[in-house]
Amino acid sequence: MKKIILLPILIFLLISGGACVRLKKPDSAQKHEQWVESLNDSVDLYKKQADSVADALSSMKEKVARLIPDFTHVSNPREVDGYYVYKGWASHFPLTSTSLVARISENEGLELIAALSGGVFNQISLSSGSQSVSSAIVPHDQALNYRAGNINTVCFSGAEADSVAAFIAANKDSAITVNFVGGARGASMSLSPEAKEMIAASWQLYSTQKESHRLEKMLPLLSRKVDLCRRMLHESDSAR
């Protein structure tokens, strides 16, 4: 009789105990949910980044619009391409005395033009206090480093020229010495306040345009990332 009485009790305990056991999801299902969650997080992140980039781009374009009126386009028959120079400086080109100036090419590249009277050089170095910076070396080739009469003119561009212009912009309120390097005898000059102002202004326009273009390229990249994540989410839903 005891066995007959205990049997229903055991069955009840098994049933009631089994009802309290939670079914555990397979690892693959958990990983899929985590993957979906990460994709949704990525969509939110890329959308926020795109909004931030769009705001920054709008600000850069407004800044360029404010700076552009301070520059004049110069088209000299003696030179192949035209360029933009800071207001009041168009008459200084081509250079006829020892000087350092800046211009922006029609493809929005920054160029530093240095001229030395009575000597030759292929590089410039600048110093202000304990700080200094140097350009790249441009060999004499009658194209970017050319001589006419007693004037040696050199056109510098690229990363090193950018560094020199940025250095001048950062130190425009301090004394800056320009050294002409690569000749038989050293030569130097102090950069005038007017030259510092024009180079700093040229750097500001150039660097703002450059940043604007960088931001413009980022927007479609972020948009494609959002679209890719959404497509993966859609394909995941369709496959279930």
Side-chain angles (χ1 to χ4, degrees):
M1 292 293 293
K2 289 183 178 179
K3 289 183 179 179
I4 296 173
I5 295 172
L6 289 174
L7 185 58
I9 297 173
L10 288 172
I11 293 172
F12 172 76
L13 290 173
L14 286 171
I15 294 173
S16 60
C20 296
V21 176
R22 289 187 177 181
L23 293 175
K24 184 179 180 181
K25 291 184 179 179
D27 287 343
S28 59
Q30 285 186 325
K31 289 180 179 178
H32 179 78
E33 288 184 359
Q34 291 172 356
W35 177 73
V36 169
E37 185 178 352
S38 69
L39 282 177
N40 283 317
D41 289 342
S42 295
V43 169
D44 291 339
L45 174 63
Y46 295 142
K47 288 175 66 177
K48 288 179 181 177
Q49 289 178 345
D51 290 342
S52 178
V53 169
D55 290 341
L57 177 59
S58 177
S59 177
M60 289 296 104
K61 287 186 174 182
E62 289 177 2
K63 188 174 180 180
V64 169
R66 291 195 303 269
L67 295 172
I68 281 288
D70 288 336
F71 288 80
T72 303
H73 182 264
V74 175
S75 182
N76 193 325
R78 296 172 56 186
E79 297 173 297
V80 177
D81 299 314
Y83 45 85
Y84 297 87
V85 296
Y86 191 55
K87 58 186 178 183
W89 283 81
S91 60
H92 289 69
F93 291 82
L95 302 179
T96 57
S97 61
T98 300
S99 50
L100 175 64
V101 296
R103 67 188 185 192
I104 297 175
S105 65
E106 290 182 338
N107 64 358
E108 299 182 2
L110 178 74
E111 297 175 338
L112 291 178
I113 314 299
L116 177 63
S117 176
V120 297
F121 70 105
N122 56 23
Q123 183 183 26
I124 56 173
S125 66
L126 285 75
S127 60
S128 179
S130 60
Q131 299 179 319
S132 63
V133 65
S134 297
S135 72
I137 294 174
V138 178
H140 171 58
D141 61 359
Q142 285 302 117
L144 298 177
N145 182 338
Y146 57 94
R147 298 162 192 172
N150 70 332
I151 299 291
N152 185 182
T153 303
V154 182
C155 176
F156 299 97
S157 61
E160 291 87 353
D162 289 358
S163 297
V164 171
F167 178 85
I168 293 170
N171 295 278
K172 69 176 184 177
D173 295 326
S174 304
I176 298 177
T177 299
V178 181
N179 300 292
F180 297 86
V181 183
R185 62 181 184 84
S188 64
M189 72 169 189
S190 294
L191 203 57
S192 69
E194 294 79 14
K196 286 186 287 187
E197 180 186 0
M198 80 89 66
I199 295 171
S202 301
W203 166 254
Q204 188 176 31
L205 175 59
Y206 162 75
S207 59
T208 304
Q209 288 176 322
K210 186 176 180 179
E211 177 63 9
S212 179
H213 295 322
R214 186 187 72 83
L215 294 171
E216 285 175 341
K217 292 178 180 177
M218 284 184 66
L219 279 178
L221 290 175
L222 290 168
S223 179
R224 284 198 291 270
K225 287 182 178 181
V226 170
D227 290 342
L228 176 60
C229 290
R230 284 176 171 169
R231 187 165 65 249
M232 292 171 71
L233 286 168
H234 176 72
E235 290 173 354
S236 174
D237 288 340
S238 300
R240 296 180 67 180

